[in-house]
Amino acid sequence: MVHHIKKIEKGTFLFQEGSIADELYIVKSGILQISKIIPDGRELTLRMCSGGDFIGELNIFSPSERYLLTARVVESGEVAVILKDELEEMLAQNLSLSLEFMKWMSQQYRKTQTKFRDLVLHGKKGALYSTLIRITNSFGIKTNHGILIELPLTNQELANFCGTSREVVNRLLSELRKANIISIDKGSITIHDLEYLKREIDCEDCPKEICKID
């Protein structure tokens, strides 16, 4: 099914909004940021994808479309390239593969649904808190001091996940630091009280495979 392996370099784009969507990708290594550029110039980040993640425009069995999102390489690595036409042919012939693909699509839908629920229902604070929880589930490592988020993110990048401004995120992070809920060292965030963040957004304790940033 894999057509070829492609190297990806930090700072480049794997695909951009508006280009022809005739390929899909499995991330072998590296990290990619999937985002939507809003007409006023703001950026809304939807996913941070790493090894094992499947990305691309998922309009299978429909006429050739264009990418609705942009994939920017945050950390260099490699992706396996899958041609859309070849994937459609395999899905049409292989029932077990089709079922697994449908399960994966359903899970992606649930992830997207819960992300937008948090953005709409809980305001800017709730959007940031839920983003921190999701990033912790995807990139967190338990330490003696709390859960260290291995993925360094600027305040602007966090703001892009929340659909808000950097200034709002600066203020909210400052409040969390003063309350000793988090600490920040050289751009790396450590969560000291994850339960506080969950209580503040009335966390429904979704399975970790759903409550992730990828």
Side-chain angles (χ1 to χ4, degrees):
M1 184 166 62
V2 173
H3 188 265
H4 64 276
I5 303 298
K6 180 177 182 178
K7 291 187 179 297
I8 51 175
E9 299 294 333
K10 181 178 179 179
T12 62
F13 295 95
L14 178 60
F15 56 81
Q16 290 183 275
E17 183 177 351
S19 58
I20 297 295
D22 55 0
E23 296 179 343
L24 298 100
Y25 310 91
I26 298 175
V27 182
K28 293 176 64 65
S29 61
I31 299 175
L32 291 107
Q33 175 181 295
I34 311 299
S35 58
K36 174 76 174 179
I37 306 299
I38 303 171
D40 64 7
R42 288 180 296 150
E43 183 176 1
L44 176 63
T45 301
L46 299 175
R47 299 174 65 193
M48 292 292 285
C49 300
S50 55
D53 288 331
F54 188 48
I55 60 175
E57 200 63 40
L58 301 176
N59 52 337
I60 305 299
F61 298 110
S62 62
S64 180
E65 298 285 349
R66 297 180 182 274
Y67 289 109
L68 298 177
L69 304 172
T70 294
R72 181 171 61 86
V73 182
V74 176
E75 183 179 293
S76 299
E78 293 182 336
V79 296
V81 180
I82 300 171
L83 300 183
K84 179 186 171 185
D85 291 344
E86 293 183 4
L87 176 60
E88 290 174 345
E89 183 177 347
M90 291 192 68
L91 290 173
Q93 297 175 356
N94 189 323
L95 177 59
S96 60
L97 177 62
S98 296
L99 289 173
E100 288 302 316
F101 190 79
M102 289 172 64
K103 290 179 184 177
W104 180 84
M105 288 280 288
S106 176
Q107 186 180 76
Q108 295 306 307
Y109 171 76
R110 290 180 64 194
K111 285 182 181 180
T112 302
Q113 187 179 51
T114 56
K115 287 175 186 175
F116 281 105
R117 174 201 65 194
D118 293 341
L119 282 172
V120 172
L121 295 182
H122 298 298
K124 304 305 182 185
K125 177 184 287 189
L128 176 62
Y129 289 8
S130 66
T131 296
L132 290 174
I133 294 169
R134 292 174 192 280
I135 294 175
T136 297
N137 289 336
S138 294
F139 296 98
I141 291 183
K142 289 186 177 180
T143 70
N144 293 333
H145 306 290
I147 304 175
L148 171 66
I149 296 175
E150 276 199 308
L151 179 68
L153 291 169
T154 66
N155 289 4
Q156 182 59 62
E157 287 170 331
L158 281 173
N160 291 345
F161 276 108
C162 305
T164 189
S165 68
R166 180 171 54 84
E167 289 74 19
V168 169
V169 168
N170 289 347
R171 176 175 56 80
L172 293 173
L173 289 177
S174 178
E175 291 173 359
L176 290 174
R177 292 177 71 177
K178 289 177 181 178
N180 201 34
I181 305 301
I182 69 169
S183 60
I184 303 175
D185 181 35
K186 298 178 181 178
S188 295
I189 298 175
T190 298
I191 309 292
H192 301 298
D193 192 347
L194 186 62
E195 292 306 313
Y196 171 86
L197 299 179
K198 291 182 176 181
R199 287 195 304 271
E200 288 294 299
I201 62 168
D202 299 319
C203 179
E204 298 176 5
D205 285 322
C206 298
K208 282 193 175 182
E209 60 267 22
I210 298 299
C211 187
K212 298 179 72 176
I213 209 68
D214 55 16

